[in-house]
Amino acid sequence: METIRGRTSLDLDLTDFYARLANYNRIILDLGTGDGKFAFCHAESFPGHFVIGVDSCRENLHEVSRAKLPNLLYIIASAQNLPHELSGLISHITINFPWGSLLQSLLAGDPQLLCGLDSILSPNASLDVRLNGGALAEAGWSLEDGVEQIRERLSYAGWQIGKPVMMDSRTLKNFPSTWAKRLAFGRDPRAIELRCTS
Ligand SMILES: C[S@@+](CC[C@H](N)C(=O)[O-])C[C@H]1O[C@@H](n2cnc3c(N)ncnc32)[C@H](O)[C@@H]1O
């Protein structure tokens, strides 16, 4: 599995990966992590959690992935083809403000994404999905309809989903991810959070 620190890629084998995880019983995965800031902030705030940021794009990760936290790892992978090394390990997944093929797969209920997520979960895992108006508009959906579509797809895949929670510009400003800050000061500072349990 390809990991990244700064501009350097490293192939991490199963033995080394398990050694890194050895002292942690809660493993968090931030899918579509972008520049990795949310994963970094979580790892810093919760030293007892091991945090994995995953994105298909290397370039944005060059800066934040240099951080030397023992409980933080960045993996280059597509959300639709997650590394098999993650199987059965993940306690909690976050998908913050997805766009592109990650958002399309959520909207379509793509089995390559949903079965892949299913395969990496540990028992009683949870999932938080935060969806923003601009990305859904680009994909041809209103915020409310897009969220409802994704809610239905996740529900069909077996997730129990709580009441959608609105995120306004103030909430976005205080949310620890780079994209949330951009949204907060942008043209459409609206997002909706779906909290799901397995
Ligand atoms: C709008 S950015 C949000 C980044 C970050 N979550 C944040 O809050 O700052 C969406 C991210 O999703 C990633 N992405 C889109 N499709 C993906 C896929 N199929 N697999 C993995 N990452 C994907 C993009 O590369 C991009 O970094």
Side-chain angles (χ1 to χ4, degrees):
M1 138 176 103
E2 183 187 351
T3 67
I4 189 163
R5 175 171 276 180
R7 292 179 180 273
T8 310
S9 290
L10 176 76
D11 195 29
L12 192 66
D13 69 23
L14 204 54
T15 312
D16 291 343
F17 181 48
Y18 282 175
R20 296 258 335 241
L21 301 179
N23 297 321
Y24 302 90
N25 54 16
R26 191 158 168 79
I27 304 175
I28 314 295
L29 185 123
D30 185 39
L31 190 54
T33 197
D35 67 357
K37 187 177 164 205
F38 179 84
F40 170 80
C41 291
H42 190 99
E44 200 177 41
S45 304
F46 299 95
H49 296 177
F50 194 93
V51 186
I52 301 173
V54 175
D55 206 285
S56 49
C57 175
R58 281 172 191 73
E59 285 68 28
N60 292 340
L61 275 165
H62 286 161
E63 204 177 310
V64 178
S65 71
R66 279 195 235 139
K68 287 192 179 137
L69 294 180
N71 61 331
L72 178 62
L73 181 70
Y74 292 101
I75 295 175
I76 301 300
S78 150
Q80 294 83 354
N81 190 17
L82 291 167
H84 63 86
E85 289 89 339
L86 301 175
S87 288
L89 291 178
I90 308 299
S91 333
H92 181 67
I93 301 175
T94 49
I95 305 180
N96 295 324
F97 319 112
W99 67 15
S101 66
L102 180 51
L103 180 59
Q104 289 296 347
S105 282
L106 285 166
L107 286 162
D110 176 4
Q112 278 192 280
L113 173 70
L114 297 176
C115 297
L117 293 183
D118 202 41
S119 73
I120 64 171
L121 299 176
S122 62
N124 304 318
S126 51
L127 164 72
D128 291 342
V129 184
R130 301 183 177 93
L131 300 153
N132 66 288
L136 280 165
E138 267 179 37
W141 294 80
S142 70
L143 176 60
E144 291 75 15
D145 289 351
V147 168
E148 179 53 22
Q149 169 76 5
I150 290 172
R151 204 191 61 74
E152 277 175 22
R153 298 298 185 177
L154 291 174
S155 171
Y156 190 70
W159 290 96
Q160 312 290 316
I161 303 160
K163 198 165 171 272
V165 179
M166 195 73 190
M167 300 175 79
D168 61 11
S169 59
R170 218 177 101 223
T171 315
L172 288 167
K173 237 177 262 172
N174 292 322
F175 189 83
S177 96
T178 298
W179 205 255
K181 301 272 184 301
R182 279 200 205 182
L183 294 174
F185 294 101
R187 265 188 307 171
D188 187 357
R190 296 174 309 142
I192 291 182
E193 178 179 276
L194 293 175
R195 293 197 161 180
C196 317
T197 48
S198 56

